[in-house]
Amino acid sequence: MLTKDEMPACPVATTVQLIGSKWKLLIMRNLLARPWRFNELKKNLEGISQKVLTDSLRSMEDDGIITRTVYPEVPPRVEYALSELGESMRPIINSMEAWGISYKETIANT
């Protein structure tokens, strides 16, 4: 997690730094619905490499956006879910979804 001094001065830049990558936003989109396992995310996010998924999940966990729960089973089961901080992004992602729907409708009517 970045310290306050390491974060950009601009709040928009801070948000972009934390969740601005294509993959992080799509991971969050999935986690809004329910907790996901690593392989479920990998299969659902077409085109993401294992390394990018791993790095994104670790970064989001370090930043407090997601939680990682390891269940003591054989084989071990790991689930990723949005943290309270991650859940606070729900209205923003919902707004992005609504904007995307509106944009697609506008383009379809031109």
Short mmCIF file of all heavy atoms in Angstrom, two decimals, residues 23-50 52-54 56-58 60 66-67 78-82:
data_model
loop_
_atom_site.label_atom_id
_atom_site.label_comp_id
_atom_site.label_asym_id
_atom_site.label_seq_id
_atom_site.Cartn_x
_atom_site.Cartn_y
_atom_site.Cartn_z
N TRP A 23 -7.41 -4.66 -16.68
CA TRP A 23 -7.64 -5.92 -15.98
C TRP A 23 -8.16 -5.70 -14.58
O TRP A 23 -9.04 -6.43 -14.11
CB TRP A 23 -6.39 -6.78 -16.00
CG TRP A 23 -6.02 -7.17 -17.39
CD1 TRP A 23 -4.87 -6.84 -18.06
CD2 TRP A 23 -6.79 -7.97 -18.30
NE1 TRP A 23 -4.90 -7.37 -19.32
CE2 TRP A 23 -6.06 -8.07 -19.50
CE3 TRP A 23 -8.03 -8.59 -18.23
CZ2 TRP A 23 -6.52 -8.78 -20.61
CZ3 TRP A 23 -8.50 -9.30 -19.34
CH2 TRP A 23 -7.75 -9.39 -20.51
N LYS A 24 -7.64 -4.72 -13.87
CA LYS A 24 -8.12 -4.47 -12.50
C LYS A 24 -9.60 -4.11 -12.51
O LYS A 24 -10.36 -4.57 -11.66
CB LYS A 24 -7.29 -3.39 -11.82
CG LYS A 24 -5.91 -3.86 -11.41
CD LYS A 24 -5.16 -2.76 -10.69
CE LYS A 24 -3.77 -3.21 -10.28
NZ LYS A 24 -3.05 -2.14 -9.58
N LEU A 25 -10.01 -3.28 -13.45
CA LEU A 25 -11.43 -2.92 -13.53
C LEU A 25 -12.29 -4.13 -13.83
O LEU A 25 -13.37 -4.30 -13.26
CB LEU A 25 -11.63 -1.84 -14.59
CG LEU A 25 -11.23 -0.43 -14.15
CD1 LEU A 25 -11.20 0.51 -15.35
CD2 LEU A 25 -12.14 0.09 -13.07
N LEU A 26 -11.83 -5.00 -14.72
CA LEU A 26 -12.62 -6.20 -15.05
C LEU A 26 -12.64 -7.20 -13.90
O LEU A 26 -13.65 -7.86 -13.66
CB LEU A 26 -12.10 -6.83 -16.34
CG LEU A 26 -12.29 -5.97 -17.59
CD1 LEU A 26 -11.66 -6.64 -18.81
CD2 LEU A 26 -13.75 -5.66 -17.83
N ILE A 27 -11.54 -7.29 -13.16
CA ILE A 27 -11.53 -8.14 -11.97
C ILE A 27 -12.55 -7.61 -10.96
O ILE A 27 -13.35 -8.37 -10.41
CB ILE A 27 -10.11 -8.19 -11.34
CG1 ILE A 27 -9.15 -8.97 -12.25
CG2 ILE A 27 -10.15 -8.79 -9.94
CD1 ILE A 27 -7.68 -8.80 -11.89
N MET A 28 -12.54 -6.29 -10.75
CA MET A 28 -13.49 -5.70 -9.81
C MET A 28 -14.93 -5.91 -10.29
O MET A 28 -15.81 -6.20 -9.47
CB MET A 28 -13.20 -4.21 -9.64
CG MET A 28 -11.93 -3.95 -8.85
SD MET A 28 -11.62 -2.20 -8.63
CE MET A 28 -12.94 -1.78 -7.50
N ARG A 29 -15.16 -5.79 -11.59
CA ARG A 29 -16.51 -6.03 -12.13
C ARG A 29 -16.99 -7.42 -11.74
O ARG A 29 -18.11 -7.60 -11.28
CB ARG A 29 -16.47 -5.90 -13.66
CG ARG A 29 -17.78 -6.26 -14.34
CD ARG A 29 -17.60 -6.73 -15.76
NE ARG A 29 -16.79 -7.94 -15.84
CZ ARG A 29 -16.25 -8.39 -16.97
NH1 ARG A 29 -16.39 -7.73 -18.09
NH2 ARG A 29 -15.54 -9.51 -16.96
N ASN A 30 -16.13 -8.41 -11.88
CA ASN A 30 -16.50 -9.78 -11.52
C ASN A 30 -16.73 -9.91 -10.02
O ASN A 30 -17.71 -10.53 -9.59
CB ASN A 30 -15.42 -10.76 -11.97
CG ASN A 30 -15.44 -11.00 -13.45
OD1 ASN A 30 -16.04 -10.26 -14.22
ND2 ASN A 30 -14.75 -12.04 -13.89
N LEU A 31 -15.86 -9.32 -9.23
CA LEU A 31 -15.95 -9.47 -7.78
C LEU A 31 -17.14 -8.71 -7.19
O LEU A 31 -17.53 -8.98 -6.05
CB LEU A 31 -14.65 -9.02 -7.11
CG LEU A 31 -13.42 -9.87 -7.44
CD1 LEU A 31 -12.19 -9.31 -6.74
CD2 LEU A 31 -13.62 -11.33 -7.07
N LEU A 32 -17.74 -7.80 -7.97
CA LEU A 32 -18.95 -7.13 -7.49
C LEU A 32 -20.09 -8.14 -7.33
O LEU A 32 -20.97 -7.95 -6.49
CB LEU A 32 -19.38 -6.04 -8.46
CG LEU A 32 -18.57 -4.75 -8.41
CD1 LEU A 32 -18.97 -3.83 -9.57
CD2 LEU A 32 -18.76 -4.04 -7.08
N ALA A 33 -20.07 -9.20 -8.12
CA ALA A 33 -21.15 -10.19 -8.09
C ALA A 33 -20.98 -11.19 -6.95
O ALA A 33 -21.95 -11.55 -6.28
CB ALA A 33 -21.22 -10.92 -9.42
N ARG A 34 -19.74 -11.62 -6.72
CA ARG A 34 -19.49 -12.67 -5.73
C ARG A 34 -17.98 -12.91 -5.62
O ARG A 34 -17.22 -12.44 -6.46
CB ARG A 34 -20.16 -13.98 -6.15
CG ARG A 34 -19.61 -14.54 -7.46
CD ARG A 34 -20.21 -15.90 -7.80
NE ARG A 34 -19.81 -16.35 -9.11
CZ ARG A 34 -18.67 -17.00 -9.39
NH1 ARG A 34 -17.80 -17.25 -8.42
NH2 ARG A 34 -18.40 -17.40 -10.62
N PRO A 35 -17.54 -13.66 -4.60
CA PRO A 35 -16.12 -14.06 -4.55
C PRO A 35 -15.80 -15.02 -5.70
O PRO A 35 -16.65 -15.80 -6.12
CB PRO A 35 -15.99 -14.76 -3.20
CG PRO A 35 -17.14 -14.27 -2.39
CD PRO A 35 -18.25 -14.03 -3.38
N TRP A 36 -14.59 -14.93 -6.20
CA TRP A 36 -14.14 -15.78 -7.31
C TRP A 36 -12.84 -16.47 -6.93
O TRP A 36 -12.03 -15.93 -6.18
CB TRP A 36 -13.87 -14.94 -8.56
CG TRP A 36 -15.09 -14.42 -9.24
CD1 TRP A 36 -16.01 -13.54 -8.73
CD2 TRP A 36 -15.53 -14.73 -10.56
NE1 TRP A 36 -16.98 -13.28 -9.66
CE2 TRP A 36 -16.71 -13.99 -10.79
CE3 TRP A 36 -15.04 -15.54 -11.57
CZ2 TRP A 36 -17.40 -14.04 -11.99
CZ3 TRP A 36 -15.73 -15.59 -12.76
CH2 TRP A 36 -16.89 -14.86 -12.97
N ARG A 37 -12.64 -17.64 -7.50
CA ARG A 37 -11.36 -18.35 -7.38
C ARG A 37 -10.47 -17.93 -8.54
O ARG A 37 -10.94 -17.43 -9.57
CB ARG A 37 -11.60 -19.85 -7.36
CG ARG A 37 -12.39 -20.26 -6.11
CD ARG A 37 -12.76 -21.70 -6.11
NE ARG A 37 -11.57 -22.52 -5.90
CZ ARG A 37 -11.60 -23.83 -5.75
NH1 ARG A 37 -12.76 -24.47 -5.76
NH2 ARG A 37 -10.50 -24.51 -5.57
N PHE A 38 -9.17 -18.13 -8.38
CA PHE A 38 -8.19 -17.70 -9.38
C PHE A 38 -8.51 -18.26 -10.77
O PHE A 38 -8.56 -17.51 -11.75
CB PHE A 38 -6.78 -18.13 -8.95
CG PHE A 38 -5.70 -17.66 -9.88
CD1 PHE A 38 -5.09 -16.43 -9.68
CD2 PHE A 38 -5.30 -18.43 -10.97
CE1 PHE A 38 -4.10 -15.98 -10.55
CE2 PHE A 38 -4.31 -17.98 -11.83
CZ PHE A 38 -3.71 -16.76 -11.62
N ASN A 39 -8.71 -19.57 -10.85
CA ASN A 39 -8.93 -20.18 -12.17
C ASN A 39 -10.25 -19.73 -12.80
O ASN A 39 -10.36 -19.65 -14.03
CB ASN A 39 -8.86 -21.70 -12.09
CG ASN A 39 -7.43 -22.18 -11.97
OD1 ASN A 39 -6.50 -21.53 -12.43
ND2 ASN A 39 -7.24 -23.32 -11.32
N GLU A 40 -11.26 -19.43 -11.98
CA GLU A 40 -12.51 -18.89 -12.51
C GLU A 40 -12.26 -17.54 -13.17
O GLU A 40 -12.76 -17.27 -14.27
CB GLU A 40 -13.54 -18.70 -11.40
CG GLU A 40 -14.13 -19.95 -10.82
CD GLU A 40 -15.12 -19.61 -9.71
OE1 GLU A 40 -14.77 -18.88 -8.77
OE2 GLU A 40 -16.26 -20.10 -9.82
N LEU A 41 -11.50 -16.69 -12.48
CA LEU A 41 -11.16 -15.38 -13.04
C LEU A 41 -10.37 -15.54 -14.33
O LEU A 41 -10.64 -14.88 -15.33
CB LEU A 41 -10.37 -14.54 -12.03
CG LEU A 41 -11.15 -13.98 -10.86
CD1 LEU A 41 -10.21 -13.44 -9.79
CD2 LEU A 41 -12.12 -12.91 -11.31
N LYS A 42 -9.40 -16.43 -14.31
CA LYS A 42 -8.54 -16.65 -15.49
C LYS A 42 -9.37 -17.06 -16.69
O LYS A 42 -9.18 -16.57 -17.81
CB LYS A 42 -7.49 -17.71 -15.17
CG LYS A 42 -6.60 -18.10 -16.33
CD LYS A 42 -5.26 -17.45 -16.23
CE LYS A 42 -4.28 -17.92 -17.28
NZ LYS A 42 -4.70 -17.75 -18.64
N LYS A 43 -10.32 -17.96 -16.49
CA LYS A 43 -11.18 -18.43 -17.59
C LYS A 43 -12.13 -17.33 -18.06
O LYS A 43 -12.40 -17.21 -19.25
CB LYS A 43 -11.98 -19.65 -17.17
CG LYS A 43 -11.15 -20.91 -17.05
CD LYS A 43 -11.98 -22.07 -16.54
CE LYS A 43 -11.09 -23.26 -16.24
NZ LYS A 43 -11.81 -24.33 -15.53
N ASN A 44 -12.64 -16.53 -17.14
CA ASN A 44 -13.63 -15.52 -17.48
C ASN A 44 -13.01 -14.30 -18.16
O ASN A 44 -13.64 -13.68 -19.01
CB ASN A 44 -14.40 -15.09 -16.23
CG ASN A 44 -15.50 -14.12 -16.55
OD1 ASN A 44 -15.30 -12.91 -16.48
ND2 ASN A 44 -16.66 -14.66 -16.92
N LEU A 45 -11.79 -13.96 -17.78
CA LEU A 45 -11.12 -12.78 -18.33
C LEU A 45 -10.29 -13.19 -19.53
O LEU A 45 -9.07 -13.37 -19.44
CB LEU A 45 -10.26 -12.11 -17.25
CG LEU A 45 -11.01 -11.65 -16.01
CD1 LEU A 45 -10.04 -11.20 -14.93
CD2 LEU A 45 -11.99 -10.55 -16.35
N GLU A 46 -10.95 -13.33 -20.65
CA GLU A 46 -10.31 -13.83 -21.86
C GLU A 46 -9.14 -12.93 -22.26
O GLU A 46 -9.28 -11.71 -22.37
CB GLU A 46 -11.34 -13.87 -22.99
CG GLU A 46 -10.85 -14.62 -24.20
CD GLU A 46 -11.95 -14.79 -25.22
OE1 GLU A 46 -13.09 -15.12 -24.83
OE2 GLU A 46 -11.66 -14.58 -26.40
N GLY A 47 -7.99 -13.54 -22.43
CA GLY A 47 -6.81 -12.81 -22.87
C GLY A 47 -5.84 -12.43 -21.76
O GLY A 47 -4.72 -12.01 -22.04
N ILE A 48 -6.24 -12.58 -20.50
CA ILE A 48 -5.34 -12.22 -19.41
C ILE A 48 -4.35 -13.37 -19.19
O ILE A 48 -4.72 -14.54 -19.25
CB ILE A 48 -6.11 -11.89 -18.11
CG1 ILE A 48 -5.17 -11.22 -17.10
CG2 ILE A 48 -6.76 -13.11 -17.52
CD1 ILE A 48 -5.88 -10.60 -15.91
N SER A 49 -3.10 -13.02 -18.98
CA SER A 49 -2.10 -14.04 -18.69
C SER A 49 -2.12 -14.36 -17.20
O SER A 49 -2.60 -13.55 -16.38
CB SER A 49 -0.71 -13.57 -19.10
OG SER A 49 -0.27 -12.54 -18.23
N GLN A 50 -1.59 -15.51 -16.86
CA GLN A 50 -1.53 -15.91 -15.45
C GLN A 50 -0.70 -14.90 -14.65
O GLN A 50 -1.08 -14.53 -13.54
CB GLN A 50 -0.93 -17.31 -15.32
CG GLN A 50 -0.93 -17.82 -13.90
CD GLN A 50 -0.70 -19.31 -13.82
OE1 GLN A 50 -1.02 -20.05 -14.74
NE2 GLN A 50 -0.16 -19.76 -12.71
N VAL A 52 -0.15 -11.64 -15.29
CA VAL A 52 -0.85 -10.37 -15.12
C VAL A 52 -1.97 -10.51 -14.09
O VAL A 52 -2.17 -9.63 -13.25
CB VAL A 52 -1.39 -9.85 -16.48
CG1 VAL A 52 -2.35 -8.67 -16.28
CG2 VAL A 52 -0.24 -9.45 -17.38
N LEU A 53 -2.69 -11.63 -14.12
CA LEU A 53 -3.74 -11.85 -13.13
C LEU A 53 -3.14 -11.93 -11.73
O LEU A 53 -3.63 -11.29 -10.80
CB LEU A 53 -4.54 -13.12 -13.46
CG LEU A 53 -5.67 -13.47 -12.48
CD1 LEU A 53 -6.66 -12.31 -12.32
CD2 LEU A 53 -6.39 -14.73 -12.94
N THR A 54 -2.08 -12.69 -11.58
CA THR A 54 -1.41 -12.82 -10.28
C THR A 54 -0.94 -11.45 -9.78
O THR A 54 -1.19 -11.07 -8.64
CB THR A 54 -0.23 -13.79 -10.37
OG1 THR A 54 -0.72 -15.08 -10.73
CG2 THR A 54 0.52 -13.89 -9.05
N SER A 56 -1.94 -8.46 -10.70
CA SER A 56 -3.07 -7.56 -10.44
C SER A 56 -3.73 -7.89 -9.10
O SER A 56 -4.03 -6.99 -8.31
CB SER A 56 -4.11 -7.66 -11.57
OG SER A 56 -3.57 -7.21 -12.78
N LEU A 57 -3.96 -9.17 -8.85
CA LEU A 57 -4.57 -9.58 -7.58
C LEU A 57 -3.69 -9.21 -6.39
O LEU A 57 -4.19 -8.70 -5.38
CB LEU A 57 -4.88 -11.08 -7.59
CG LEU A 57 -6.00 -11.52 -8.53
CD1 LEU A 57 -6.03 -13.04 -8.65
CD2 LEU A 57 -7.35 -10.99 -8.06
N ARG A 58 -2.39 -9.44 -6.51
CA ARG A 58 -1.48 -9.08 -5.41
C ARG A 58 -1.49 -7.58 -5.16
O ARG A 58 -1.52 -7.13 -4.01
CB ARG A 58 -0.06 -9.55 -5.73
CG ARG A 58 0.13 -11.02 -5.53
CD ARG A 58 1.57 -11.43 -5.74
NE ARG A 58 1.69 -12.88 -5.63
CZ ARG A 58 2.61 -13.61 -6.24
NH1 ARG A 58 3.51 -13.03 -7.01
NH2 ARG A 58 2.64 -14.91 -6.07
N MET A 60 -3.86 -5.41 -5.91
CA MET A 60 -5.14 -5.00 -5.35
C MET A 60 -5.27 -5.41 -3.89
O MET A 60 -5.87 -4.68 -3.09
CB MET A 60 -6.27 -5.58 -6.20
CG MET A 60 -6.32 -4.99 -7.61
SD MET A 60 -7.43 -5.87 -8.71
CE MET A 60 -9.01 -5.27 -8.12
N ILE A 66 -9.08 -5.70 -2.41
CA ILE A 66 -9.65 -7.04 -2.35
C ILE A 66 -9.09 -7.79 -1.14
O ILE A 66 -8.08 -7.40 -0.57
CB ILE A 66 -9.38 -7.87 -3.64
CG1 ILE A 66 -7.89 -8.14 -3.82
CG2 ILE A 66 -9.98 -7.19 -4.87
CD1 ILE A 66 -7.58 -9.16 -4.92
N THR A 67 -9.79 -8.86 -0.79
CA THR A 67 -9.30 -9.76 0.25
C THR A 67 -9.03 -11.12 -0.37
O THR A 67 -9.69 -11.51 -1.35
CB THR A 67 -10.32 -9.93 1.39
OG1 THR A 67 -11.54 -10.44 0.86
CG2 THR A 67 -10.58 -8.60 2.08
N VAL A 78 -8.61 -21.00 -2.59
CA VAL A 78 -8.38 -19.57 -2.36
C VAL A 78 -9.47 -18.80 -3.08
O VAL A 78 -9.75 -19.07 -4.24
CB VAL A 78 -6.99 -19.13 -2.87
CG1 VAL A 78 -6.79 -17.63 -2.67
CG2 VAL A 78 -5.89 -19.92 -2.18
N GLU A 79 -10.09 -17.86 -2.37
CA GLU A 79 -11.11 -17.02 -2.97
C GLU A 79 -10.74 -15.55 -2.81
O GLU A 79 -10.18 -15.15 -1.80
CB GLU A 79 -12.48 -17.25 -2.32
CG GLU A 79 -13.15 -18.53 -2.73
CD GLU A 79 -14.56 -18.66 -2.18
OE1 GLU A 79 -14.95 -17.89 -1.28
OE2 GLU A 79 -15.27 -19.54 -2.67
N TYR A 80 -11.07 -14.80 -3.83
CA TYR A 80 -10.84 -13.36 -3.83
C TYR A 80 -12.20 -12.67 -3.77
O TYR A 80 -13.14 -13.08 -4.45
CB TYR A 80 -10.09 -12.94 -5.10
CG TYR A 80 -8.72 -13.56 -5.17
CD1 TYR A 80 -8.51 -14.77 -5.81
CD2 TYR A 80 -7.63 -12.93 -4.56
CE1 TYR A 80 -7.26 -15.35 -5.85
CE2 TYR A 80 -6.36 -13.50 -4.60
CZ TYR A 80 -6.19 -14.72 -5.25
OH TYR A 80 -4.95 -15.30 -5.27
N ALA A 81 -12.28 -11.63 -2.96
CA ALA A 81 -13.52 -10.87 -2.81
C ALA A 81 -13.17 -9.40 -2.64
O ALA A 81 -12.03 -9.06 -2.27
CB ALA A 81 -14.31 -11.37 -1.60
N LEU A 82 -14.13 -8.55 -2.91
CA LEU A 82 -13.90 -7.13 -2.66
C LEU A 82 -13.89 -6.86 -1.16
O LEU A 82 -14.70 -7.41 -0.42
CB LEU A 82 -15.01 -6.29 -3.30
CG LEU A 82 -15.00 -6.19 -4.82
CD1 LEU A 82 -16.20 -5.38 -5.29
CD2 LEU A 82 -13.72 -5.57 -5.32
#
